Amino acid sequence: MKVLVIEDEQGLRENITSYLNVDGNICESSASLDGAIEKLSLYQYDCVLLDIGLPDGDGFAVLDYLKNESKSEAVLIISARNSLDDKLKGLNIGADDYLTKPFHLAELKARLMAVYRRKVLNSNNKLLFNEISIDIMGRTFFVNDTPVILTRKEYDIMLYFISNKGRIISKSAIAEHLWGDEMDMYDSYDFIYTHIKNLRKKLLDAGCADYLKSIYGMGYKFSA
């Protein structure tokens, strides 16, 4: 899961990103409203953790931006404001959940996963596609109920593809989703080919159909 943490309190921001990264998530962060809008304009995320009390503006503007740009990121508001008016406003203009500070990081992760399951995985912990099954909580991958050992990046690529089956995904989109803004430092996406080649071999060796297709000049597509 790729997450954008919008939080101006440095200690809390770093604690959240470190805690979520342990589970293999890709976390980027912004301490300001302008920085958050810039990141959302450049990249796509699965979920956004949004503090509405930002130093350069009201965080509710992020929800307006996502709506105006027809972006699909799930949003969990994290705020010290606990008034009913703020909660209702956030939920009514597009947030998926609202968590009041202070909170335990374990509850934050549980709320985040619940939002992710509802919005991206149709409320399931297990993603099924023909002979493939993925245990989201256990980060385990199966073909015909037999476990297949994938590297962390192979697992993330597979989850990204199967969540976007039927769509052509460019190499840059794959790279940005899995490596975040670190990709700005690289000149090419050639290493994506190696990851997908290795993943495809593992799937075929496990008896899986050949779902990963290379679309010349455009990227890749997961299709039945």
Side-chain angles (χ1 to χ4, degrees):
M1 180 169 43
K2 186 178 178 185
V3 182
L4 177 61
V5 181
I6 306 171
E7 169 60 61
D8 66 316
E9 186 181 334
Q10 181 178 357
L12 179 58
R13 185 174 67 248
E14 292 176 351
N15 285 339
I16 290 173
T17 55
S18 297
Y19 186 78
L20 295 177
N21 280 335
V22 169
D23 289 337
N25 299 299
I26 300 294
C27 290
E28 297 176 16
S29 64
S30 174
S32 67
L33 176 60
D34 286 346
I37 296 296
E38 180 180 6
K39 280 186 170 293
L40 288 165
S41 70
L42 294 172
Y43 308 113
Q44 182 176 352
Y45 301 89
D46 293 311
C47 295
V48 174
L49 293 178
L50 173 62
D51 180 12
I52 53 177
L54 297 171
D56 57 339
D58 196 313
F60 287 129
V62 169
L63 293 168
D64 292 333
Y65 173 81
L66 293 174
K67 181 179 179 181
N68 292 336
E69 296 298 319
S70 299
K71 294 179 70 69
S72 60
E73 281 86 346
V75 178
L76 169 56
I77 291 177
I78 48 175
S79 177
R81 301 185 197 171
N82 62 0
S83 72
L84 180 60
D85 286 344
D86 280 326
K87 293 177 182 177
L88 292 177
K89 179 178 180 180
L91 294 170
N92 284 334
I93 65 174
D96 297 277
D97 198 0
Y98 193 113
L99 181 61
T100 304
K101 299 176 183 176
F103 48 75
H104 291 287
L105 290 175
E107 182 182 3
L108 174 69
K109 185 172 74 173
R111 295 276 196 108
L112 185 64
M113 287 303 300
V115 165
Y116 181 65
R117 284 196 303 270
R118 284 199 302 270
K119 195 137 189 175
V120 180
L121 304 175
N122 296 320
S123 300
N124 291 317
N125 285 324
K126 184 171 283 189
L127 197 60
L128 303 174
F129 179 78
N130 294 346
E131 67 271 43
I132 294 173
S133 62
I134 303 175
D135 182 341
I136 303 300
M137 299 302 289
R139 291 181 66 82
T140 47
F141 183 89
F142 301 84
V143 173
N144 293 322
D145 297 323
T146 300
V148 177
I149 304 303
L150 302 181
T151 66
R152 172 180 162 181
K153 288 303 181 191
E154 289 167 353
Y155 172 89
D156 290 340
I157 289 172
M158 196 64 218
L159 185 59
Y160 188 43
F161 270 120
I162 205 167
S163 298
N164 292 277
K165 54 182 176 289
R167 296 174 55 190
I168 297 175
I169 304 175
S170 67
K171 289 182 180 179
S172 62
I174 296 170
E176 288 167 6
H177 186 82
L178 298 180
W179 280 268
D181 50 13
E182 291 180 10
M183 283 310 306
D184 294 342
M185 297 183 294
Y186 292 85
D187 294 329
S188 76
Y189 302 121
D190 290 345
F191 59 93
I192 298 291
Y193 169 79
T194 302
H195 281 289
I196 292 181
K197 177 184 175 184
N198 294 338
L199 172 60
R200 185 167 176 264
K201 183 178 186 307
K202 288 184 179 181
L203 297 180
L204 294 176
D205 289 348
C208 187
D210 190 8
Y211 297 121
L212 291 173
K213 306 295 184 185
S214 176
I215 310 298
Y216 182 75
M218 301 181 71
Y220 297 92
K221 182 165 75 171
F222 184 94
S223 59

